[in-house]
Amino acid sequence: MHGPAWVGWLLVLLCAAAGAYCLSRARTGPAAQRGEARGEGLMALGMAAMAWPVAPSWSPWLFTAVFGAAGLWALARRHLHHAVGALAMAYMALAMVVPSQQPGHTGQMSQMGHMGQMSQAGGTGPMAHTVPGGVPLLTGLLLVYFTGYVLAAGVRLVPAVGAGAAGEAPAGGPAAVAGAGVLRACRVAMGIGMLAMLLAL
C-alpha cells in the first residue's frame, strides 16, 4: 500500500476510537446490541493494528491468518458483512507481501500504514518504483461494496436523528437512541477507513 505515513496514523486514531466505543457498548449497551458491538469493536481494533505505520516485517502474515480465520468464523455464523470485512483485511494483508516476492524487485514493504512503499534497486527515493498490490478487479469490487455500505449506513443515520427531534420515545429511552446512533456512526467511520485502506493498496 502506498501513501504518506500520516494517513496511517489518522486511520489508527479513527479505528481505535471506533473500536473502543464499540467495546464499551458491548459491556454497557442493550443486550440485543452487545454481540454485534463486540464484533464491530474487535474488527475496528484489528484495523487500527493493521494501519499502524511501524510494524515488523512478519506482521502481514499474522494479519492474514487472524483476519482469514475471523472471516471464516463470521461466514459460518452467517454474519456476512463481518465476513466480507475480515476477508478484505486478510486480502489487503496478503497483498502487502505478495508483490515483494515478484521477480526483479527488491526491498521490503513498510507496513501500512503499512502504507508501505517498496523500493527497487537503483531507486532514488521512498516513492520510487512502487509496485501496486492486490488484484485490481477484486479491489474494485471491494471498493464498490464498501462505498455502498458507507452510503447506506450514512442514510440510516438521518431517520434516527429525525425521530429523536420529533419527540418520539423509542424503547430504551433517549440514552439508548443516542448510543445506537453513535454505534451506527462508528460503522460509517470503519467503512470509510476500509475504503481508505483499499485505495492505498
Side-chain angles (χ1 to χ4, degrees):
M1 284 180 269
H2 313 294
W6 62 265
V7 176
W9 288 117
L10 287 178
L11 284 172
V12 169
L13 292 175
L14 176 70
C15 296
Y21 179 81
C22 288
L23 290 180
S24 71
R25 290 290 296 176
R27 296 184 59 186
T28 62
Q33 296 180 0
R34 290 180 184 178
E36 190 173 2
R38 188 179 300 111
E40 298 281 359
L42 292 175
M43 175 63 73
L45 292 182
M47 291 173 63
M50 190 167 167
W52 196 267
V54 181
S57 60
W58 46 262
S59 61
W61 296 112
L62 177 63
F63 291 136
T64 300
V66 171
F67 283 115
L72 294 176
W73 174 257
L75 194 60
R77 295 175 64 85
R78 299 183 181 179
H79 296 166
L80 295 183
H81 175 68
H82 288 170
V84 172
L87 293 175
M89 295 296 290
Y91 159 69
M92 288 189 286
L94 190 60
M96 292 179 193
V97 289
V98 169
S100 65
Q101 296 173 353
Q102 293 177 356
H105 294 89
T106 60
Q108 176 180 347
M109 289 285 265
S110 64
Q111 310 311 317
M112 169 118 149
H114 294 193
M115 313 301 278
Q117 295 101 13
M118 187 173 68
S119 298
Q120 199 177 36
T124 59
M127 293 297 293
H129 305 297
T130 56
V131 178
V135 180
L137 178 59
L138 181 54
T139 301
L141 290 174
L142 289 171
L143 283 170
V144 170
Y145 173 82
F146 284 104
T147 299
Y149 176 80
V150 167
L151 292 175
V155 167
R156 284 198 296 270
L157 285 173
V158 178
V161 174
E168 297 178 8
V177 173
V182 176
L183 189 59
R184 294 190 191 101
C186 287
R187 291 173 185 151
V188 173
M190 290 169 59
I192 293 172
M194 189 72 75
L195 285 173
M197 296 172 76
L198 285 165
L199 288 171
L201 191 62

